[in-house]
Amino acid sequence: MITQEERIDIFDGFRKGMNAFLSSEQIPAAMRRRKSSIAHRIASCIARQFPGYHVDIDTDGADIIVWRDGEILLALFWGEMYLNGKERQRAMEFHRVRQPGLTLGFTLLPDRAWLLVYRFETDYVEYLHIDKESFSDEVLKQCFIDDADDGQLKLSLRKKRMRKVSASADL
């Protein structure tokens, strides 16, 4: 059983690995490649943070896993854009069945200044932003898995107000 302190260390290893990946000068070109190519590059950066562990891609239904002696320390599910409901469900099911130390989903969102991270637990999903510049993190929301909103983060976006066009403007 992994302790809370160990989970914090695992999350810190993930953040450092992602920092190394995003600091690479070749990232814009990498984003145009296949998902498995990018997963390999991410896995290489993550592996440096977990010496003595194996790091595999596209294994057991996860995009990246960090493991040793049959125990999965970290499972990662990711996408360039937001994870859809099916992808989140796949990560939740993986976490429930395989019981890794930490299960994370994340989105690269190339046009944003942050990563969106999904932390999967047995009964809830926690949404975080990690700033790509400072790599500080901020918890946005926790959603219980049984909620009617299917665990999707709903952001309060400002609605655009329609300007009224006067009838005399056409005259």
Side-chain angles (χ1 to χ4, degrees):
M1 184 75 153
I2 294 181
T3 67
Q4 187 63 22
E5 285 181 17
E6 290 170 321
R7 296 171 117 219
I8 291 169
D9 290 342
I10 296 167
F11 185 77
D12 192 48
F14 163 76
R15 283 188 343 169
K16 288 177 180 175
M18 290 307 298
N19 188 11
F21 172 74
L22 292 171
S23 297
S24 170
E25 294 176 23
Q26 301 167 354
I27 293 304
M31 294 304 209
R32 293 186 288 274
R33 295 189 181 142
R34 293 184 355 181
K35 186 174 180 177
S36 60
S37 298
I38 298 170
H40 178 74
R41 294 189 59 198
I42 293 170
S44 295
C45 293
I46 297 275
R48 294 182 209 131
Q49 306 304 315
F50 298 97
Y53 284 85
H54 305 284
V55 179
D56 290 324
I57 64 170
D58 300 328
T59 304
D60 295 336
D63 294 321
I64 301 170
I65 61 170
V66 177
W67 64 280
R68 178 174 58 194
D69 300 329
E71 180 182 11
I72 299 173
L73 186 67
L74 175 63
L76 298 174
F77 298 81
W78 71 277
E80 226 177 293
M81 300 309 289
Y82 298 96
L83 298 183
N84 64 34
K86 188 176 181 180
E87 292 166 326
R88 289 191 317 275
Q89 187 62 39
R90 181 173 59 115
M92 285 186 273
E93 184 66 16
F94 185 94
H95 184 76
R96 186 184 66 74
V97 172
R98 299 299 304 270
Q99 299 179 344
L102 188 60
T103 302
L104 300 174
F106 64 94
T107 58
L108 296 174
L109 299 169
D111 59 334
R112 303 290 183 173
W114 39 263
L115 296 171
L116 175 61
V117 177
Y118 308 74
R119 186 172 68 92
F120 297 95
E121 291 297 334
T122 304
D123 52 353
Y124 68 91
V125 178
E126 185 173 69
Y127 295 85
L128 303 102
H129 273 172
I130 296 180
D131 183 90
K132 290 179 181 177
E133 186 78 20
S134 67
F135 267 80
S136 61
D137 59 88
E138 172 189 5
V139 175
L140 301 174
K141 182 177 180 178
Q142 285 184 350
C143 294
F144 288 98
I145 292 174
D146 292 337
D147 283 354
D149 68 359
D150 190 30
Q152 177 62 46
L153 178 63
K154 296 194 178 6
L155 300 175
S156 56
L157 302 175
R158 290 190 299 163
K159 294 180 181 176
K160 291 184 179 180
R161 293 173 52 178
M162 302 270 303
R163 284 188 357 189
K164 290 186 180 181
V165 178
S166 67
S168 62
D170 292 336
L171 300 175

